[in-house]
Structures are given as C-alpha cells and as structure tokens.
C-alpha cells in the first residue's frame, strides 16, 4: 500500500511564507509526476503545481513567481515553497502522486490534505 503524508500547513499572515512537504511511503519502484492541488470552500479542486520525475514543472498562473515546487526522488518527497502568500491562497492543499509503480501495480495516490490559512 502506498501512502502520502503531508506536513507544513498552518496559519500565516498575508505576505508570509510556508513550506509544504509530502512524503510517499510503501512498496514504490518509481513515481512519474508529483504535484499539489488545492480546494477552497465551495470551489473545485485545482492544480497548483506539478513536477515530473525529470524535473519539468508546471504552475497555475495564479501562483507563478510566488510558489516553487521541488522533489527529492531518492526520498520520494515533494515540496512546495509558498512565498508572498495572499488570502486567496487559503485552501486545503492536497499532495498527488501520479503513475506510481508499486507492488500493487500502477497507482494514483492522494494525501489527506493540509490546511493553509492566510490572514489579511
């Protein structure tokens, strides 16, 4: 069984920074893409940033220049450095691992979510 465990959420003032971490555990051979999604109350889940195993990144327009995604393939861990946070960044942030090669076959796995609250 493959699991994703997130950490690093919390309450921060506008303009501040937070760093989210997400570690994958279990019988993992490889992970293709890892990413972060977010869901604000009453809204649909949206992609924030994603990173392929080779390092190619993709960002939502709303976070470009403020957020940076990175990963440590040896540790099966992905990070999201969030700077210049705005109240509209408030949401539950979910980690995602896509096309995970494991003993259970190919999987897509989601984390449990971590709350980020940005006060004005």
């Amino acid at each position: 069984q493959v699991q994703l465990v997130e950490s690093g959420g919390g309450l921060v003032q506008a303009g501040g920074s937070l760093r989210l971490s997400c570690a994958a555990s279990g019988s993992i051979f490889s992970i293709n893409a890892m990413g972060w999604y977010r869901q604000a109350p009453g809204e649909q889940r949206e992609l924030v940033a994603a990173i392929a195993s080779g390092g190619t990144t993709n960002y939502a327009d709303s976070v470009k220049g403020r957020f940076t995604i990175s990963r440590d393939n040896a540790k099966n861990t992905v990070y999201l450095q969030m700077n210049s946070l705005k109240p509209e960044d408030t949401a539950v942030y979910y980690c995602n691992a896509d096309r995970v090669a494991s003993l259970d076959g190919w999987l897509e796995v989601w984390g449990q979510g971590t709350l980020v609250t940005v006060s004005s």
Side-chain angles (χ1 to χ4, degrees):
Q1 186 177 4
V2 177
Q3 293 182 326
L4 299 179
V5 178
E6 300 139 335
S7 61
L11 174 64
V12 65
Q13 288 188 332
S17 298
L18 283 174
R19 187 188 192 217
L20 305 182
S21 300
C22 171
S25 63
S27 302
I28 299 170
F29 300 121
S30 65
I31 302 175
N32 182 16
M34 300 187 78
W36 291 93
Y37 289 72
R38 67 186 181 187
Q39 187 168 18
E43 298 187 14
Q44 291 188 334
R45 191 174 297 189
E46 63 175 359
L47 174 69
V48 176
I51 183 168
S53 57
T56 301
T57 57
N58 181 36
Y59 294 93
D61 288 342
S62 59
V63 306
K64 285 181 180 177
R66 301 188 297 122
F67 291 10
T68 302
I69 190 170
S70 60
R71 66 188 282 178
D72 184 332
N73 290 330
K75 296 180 179 180
N76 289 326
T77 299
V78 64
Y79 308 94
L80 186 67
Q81 178 66 44
M82 304 185 293
N83 298 328
S84 302
L85 282 160
K86 304 175 180 179
E88 51 263 44
D89 294 318
T90 295
V92 177
Y93 284 69
Y94 296 91
C95 179
N96 173 269
D98 187 34
R99 289 190 60 78
V100 179
S102 74
L103 286 177
D104 297 319
W106 292 100
L107 304 174
E108 181 182 18
V109 187
W110 289 91
Q112 80 284 358
T114 185
L115 178 62
V116 171
T117 303
V118 184
S119 63
S120 57

